[in-house]
Amino acid sequence: TTPATTPVVTPSSGGGGGGSSTTPVAFKIITPGVVSAYAYEKIIIPLSLENKGRQSFSKIKITASALKEGNLENEISVSLDKTYVESLKPDTKENLVLTALFNTNDTGNYEILINATSESPKYTDWAKIYINLEETNGSDVKELLIFTEELIASNPECIEITEILNEAKKYLENGDMVNAKEKTEQAINACR
């Protein structure tokens, strides 16, 4: 006997039709990733906001906040030189500067969360900077103070700068290494 065969209809494809394609809408915050810092130090971190897509973004709000173990950290103050970008055109970038001041000697790992949200079109991107905060004993600032005292002693025309140096010493005694260093550098520059 011959096996029975059943004819199968195969659909034929018609002509090509119009398809729709989507263009990705995105911008990206570029950060250094991991940074080391010392207690009571002020650091400046360059960032950029890049638009690699084909669409412009407008009215972009940028925020930054410091976190430790997922909680907001008040001992670290963060600020951006720009918190608003009017327009970000395709294939352009906007450079930003983030300043972080560590008013703590609580060492460990911290995060700075940067968030950018555009109004038109609606889009949000975020990035994190991971910071390893290490303890400082102030020896660098003490050495700088001693150097500055010697500089003033060897240059009698700089004697009026002693008051600035005394302010630096008070900051150092109070554990404020950032202001102690800034005042000491101010005294050095004034003596020059």
Side-chain angles (χ1 to χ4, degrees):
T1 61
T2 350
T5 58
T6 310
V8 177
V9 178
T10 53
S12 63
S13 73
S20 67
S21 68
T22 57
T23 304
V25 175
F27 58 75
K28 187 82 181 130
I29 302 169
I30 308 300
T31 68
V34 180
V35 176
S36 290
Y38 292 104
Y40 301 105
E41 183 180 31
K42 177 168 78 172
I43 60 172
I44 296 171
I45 303 169
L47 310 170
S48 63
L49 189 61
E50 292 186 2
N51 182 356
K52 295 282 189 182
R54 292 186 223 151
Q55 181 165 0
S56 292
F57 292 90
S58 62
K59 299 180 182 174
I60 303 170
K61 293 178 185 172
I62 308 158
T63 60
S65 52
L67 307 164
K68 183 170 186 181
E69 297 172 3
N71 299 315
L72 282 175
E73 180 58 53
N74 295 327
E75 296 296 317
I76 300 173
S77 62
V78 292
S79 62
L80 292 159
D81 67 333
K82 297 174 192 169
T83 57
Y84 183 80
V85 175
E86 183 62 40
S87 176
L88 189 63
K89 295 183 174 158
D91 291 320
T92 62
K93 72 178 178 178
E94 186 76 29
N95 291 322
L96 310 167
V97 175
L98 175 98
T99 302
L101 177 59
F102 297 89
N103 291 317
T104 182
N105 62 356
D106 187 11
T107 60
N109 295 319
Y110 292 81
E111 300 171 347
I112 297 177
L113 175 65
I114 299 106
N115 191 320
T117 304
S118 72
E119 201 171 292
S120 177
K122 294 269 187 214
Y123 184 77
T124 298
D125 187 42
W126 60 271
K128 281 187 180 178
I129 300 171
Y130 297 93
I131 297 177
N132 180 20
L133 188 65
E134 301 172 13
E135 190 174 336
T136 180
N137 59 11
S139 63
D140 293 341
V141 177
K142 288 176 187 173
E143 288 177 23
L144 189 61
L145 267 169
I146 292 168
F147 167 78
T148 307
E149 285 177 328
E150 291 172 358
L151 177 69
I152 290 172
S154 64
N155 292 299
E157 64 273 8
C158 296
I159 200 71
E160 69 275 358
I161 300 166
T162 306
E163 189 174 314
I164 298 171
L165 197 57
N166 289 337
E167 287 179 50
K169 287 179 185 177
K170 285 180 186 173
Y171 283 125
L172 183 64
E173 289 168 9
N174 293 329
D176 187 347
M177 303 300 165
V178 173
N179 284 321
K181 185 177 179 187
E182 283 182 9
K183 281 293 179 183
T184 305
E185 289 172 348
Q186 182 184 353
I188 292 171
N189 290 333
C191 189
R192 286 183 186 164

